[in-house]
């Protein structure tokens, strides 16, 4: 393989904060509380999320880039951050309507949106951290 055919993985991090509660509307209040505990608190709670978006590709011979990070930043900001930052994930985010806003479900929706928008390189991986100790990873499968 020629040097300019090397596959590289390039990552942009963005941050947002948002509120949510883990709550299944098909269950009673008591069932929700028993299963989700304080995560189901009806007054919600917030997190500072880190979102890592990795694009895979071969650097363009003219630009040296798999994807221009300014473009990747713009896509993530416009498609995700502006719709989710400082919002309530249960009530106020269009792409989470009707979906329990667990990090597992959030990351799958983020993938669906970004995958359709990234045309330079291919979306390879997303990581979403909710706390220092809890995060999810997704490869689109
Ligand atoms: Ni939470």
């Amino acid at each position: 393989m020629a040097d300019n055919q090397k596959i590289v993985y390039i990552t942009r991090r963005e941050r947002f904060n948002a509120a949510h509660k883990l709550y299944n509307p098909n269950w009673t209040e008591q069932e929700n509380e028993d299963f989700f505990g304080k995560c189901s608190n009806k007054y919600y709670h917030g997190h500072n999320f880190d979102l890592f978006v990795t694009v895979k590709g071969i650097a363009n011979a003219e630009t040296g880039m798999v994807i221009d990070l300014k473009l990747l930043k713009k896509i993530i900001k416009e498609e995700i951050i502006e719709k989710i930052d400082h919002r309530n994930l249960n009530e106020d985010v269009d792409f989470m309507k009707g979906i329990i806003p667990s990090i597992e479900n959030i990351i799958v929706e983020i993938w669906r949106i970004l995958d359709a928008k990234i045309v330079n390189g291919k979306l390879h991986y997303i990581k979403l951290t909710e706390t220092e100790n809890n995060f999810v990873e997704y490869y689109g499968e």
Side-chain angles (χ1 to χ4, degrees):
M1 205 182 270
D3 279 347
N4 63 353
Q5 296 296 295
K6 301 285 191 211
I7 294 170
V8 177
Y9 301 81
I10 187 164
T11 300
R12 172 74 191 177
R13 180 185 68 178
E14 293 291 338
R15 289 168 152 163
F16 62 92
N17 66 65
H20 73 167
K21 64 178 178 181
L22 298 181
Y23 185 87
N24 184 331
N26 299 322
W27 295 357
T28 64
E29 294 285 337
Q30 191 61 53
E31 285 171 330
N32 274 284
E33 196 181 322
D34 288 348
F35 185 80
F36 293 117
K38 64 182 183 179
C39 293
S40 72
N41 183 324
K42 67 179 175 180
Y43 296 114
Y44 303 92
H45 63 277
H47 296 283
N48 293 314
F49 292 92
D50 276 2
L51 173 66
F52 297 83
V53 176
T54 300
V55 174
K56 170 186 181 179
I58 294 164
N60 179 285
E62 302 288 326
T63 65
M65 295 178 178
V66 172
I67 183 172
D68 186 343
L69 284 168
K70 292 193 300 294
L71 173 61
L72 183 55
K73 173 184 174 180
K74 182 170 184 283
I75 293 169
I76 301 168
K77 288 253 187 204
E78 288 180 1
E79 300 297 328
I80 307 297
I81 304 299
E82 285 174 13
K83 295 175 180 174
I84 208 170
D85 189 35
H86 287 68
R87 302 285 183 116
N88 178 318
L89 288 154
N90 297 79
E91 304 288 343
D92 195 23
V93 176
D94 59 0
F95 62 81
M96 291 303 297
K97 281 271 162 13
I99 299 168
I100 296 172
S102 62
I103 47 176
E104 295 93 323
N105 285 342
I106 299 166
I107 199 170
V108 169
E109 294 309 307
I110 290 175
W111 179 284
R112 187 176 54 75
I113 294 164
L114 293 181
D115 191 40
K117 295 288 175 184
I118 291 170
V119 293
N120 303 83
K122 168 154 183 17
L123 183 59
H124 174 69
Y125 166 80
I126 298 178
K127 175 177 170 180
L128 181 65
T129 72
E130 184 178 58
T131 69
E132 259 180 72
N133 299 321
N134 297 338
F135 64 89
V136 286
E137 300 168 290
Y138 189 55
Y139 292 87
E141 291 170 10

